[in-house]
Amino acid sequence: GAVVSQHPSRVICKSGTSVKIECRSLDFQATTMFWYRQFPKQSLMLMATSNEGSKATYEQGVEKDKFLINHASLTLSTLTVTSAHPEDSSFYICSASLAGRYNEQFFGPGTRLTVL
Amino acid sequence: AQSVTQLGSHVSVSEGALVLLRCNYSSSVPPYLFWYVQYPNQGLQLLLKYTSAATLVKGINGFEAEFKKSETSFHLTKPSAHMSDAAEYFCAVTPSGGYQKVTFGTGTKLQVIP
């Protein structure tokens, strides 16, 4: 149980385009989903927290107009990187939990974004 | 405020040898502590967690960790390393209750030498 999927696993796009990444909880209803960014050989940095049906809460320094997060259902959250630039290239990981319980997060396999 | 320090970004052990990955934490309130493992190009998998119950926590794949409040440590150990243990390991902390942001350490890459 507690499986989280991400799609796509890898994506390459041109600078200036937008990319959407999906995060799904496959066998449970995730009230809260989290989006992390991981730079090479570094730790995970929380970008934002989203609760189903409400606006995401972004961490300080994360541009909410650039990283659009939608959590329209209890099993799906999406992260859209708008007008992508090479510096947005990174590994993006989502996680899901019940009712904001940070200590019970289930992580997706991650999405490798490369912006040319 | 909370933080986690992982000593040693790279640790190498021989197959069959003891694995010891160090983690020290700082937290202004009683913490919850976690160890996660990450294989290349994959997400994180929870190895074990301390949530104020027993101080010696047993996890998956033969790993265990001991919460030592006096030393503010939560080191991860495994008696005998296996080749499949080669991965990146992250220690993480959050205030007890689990409803606040988790702070991750910078990770320790474990290499297992045959």
Side-chain angles (χ1 to χ4, degrees):
Chain A
V3 179
V4 176
S5 70
Q6 278 185 246
H7 178 80
S9 57
R10 290 177 177 270
V11 57
I12 301 173
C13 69
K14 293 183 178 180
S15 186
T17 61
S18 294
V19 174
K20 180 183 285 188
I21 302 170
E22 293 186 348
C23 177
R24 292 182 184 272
S25 57
L26 299 184
D27 51 3
F28 70 103
Q29 294 184 324
T31 311
T32 305
M33 287 186 170
F34 308 88
W35 287 95
Y36 293 86
R37 184 173 180 177
Q38 185 179 29
F39 291 100
K41 302 185 187 304
Q42 294 189 30
S43 189
L44 279 73
M45 300 297 296
L46 180 64
M47 298 175 65
T49 303
S50 72
N51 292 294
E52 185 265 339
S54 62
K55 291 185 178 180
T57 301
Y58 290 81
E59 294 298 303
Q60 191 173 9
V62 177
E63 299 177 62
K64 62 181 180 180
D65 294 330
K66 181 168 187 61
F67 298 99
L68 301 178
I69 292 171
N70 182 279
H71 192 166
S73 77
L74 287 171
T75 60
L76 174 64
S77 176
T78 59
L79 167 68
T80 301
V81 183
T82 62
S83 187
H85 289 282
E87 56 265 30
D88 298 326
S89 299
S90 191
F91 194 53
Y92 292 89
I93 303 176
C94 74
S95 69
S97 73
L98 297 171
R101 293 187 66 86
Y102 285 77
N103 63 321
E104 294 179 4
Q105 295 184 51
F106 303 98
F107 287 81
T111 296
R112 173 75 60 192
L113 171 63
T114 303
V115 184
L116 302 177
Chain B
Q2 59 200 28
S3 65
V4 167
T5 302
Q6 290 185 242
L7 297 176
S9 59
H10 287 80
V11 170
S12 293
V13 300
S14 298
E15 190 175 15
L18 171 72
V19 175
L20 171 61
L21 304 182
R22 299 178 186 274
C23 172
N24 288 88
Y25 71 91
S26 173
S27 179
S28 56
V29 298
Y32 284 177
L33 293 155
F34 314 85
W35 275 101
Y36 288 91
V37 61
Q38 184 182 34
Y39 296 98
N41 294 312
Q42 294 188 28
L44 273 65
Q45 180 182 11
L46 181 66
L47 278 178
L48 49 81
K49 63 181 179 182
Y50 166 77
T51 55
S52 71
T55 56
L56 181 62
V57 182
K58 294 186 183 299
I60 62 172
N61 302 338
F63 285 94
E64 64 181 38
E66 186 172 8
F67 172 70
K68 291 187 177 180
K69 184 178 178 180
S70 60
E71 299 178 7
T72 61
S73 69
F74 190 58
H75 302 330
L76 182 70
T77 60
K78 181 174 181 178
S80 177
H82 193 273
M83 295 299 295
S84 60
D85 295 327
E88 186 101 27
Y89 292 80
F90 292 95
C91 182
V93 63
T94 190
S96 59
Y99 286 91
Q100 298 186 49
K101 183 172 66 174
V102 175
T103 301
F104 289 86
T106 51
T108 297
K109 189 169 186 177
L110 176 65
Q111 180 185 20
V112 182
I113 303 168

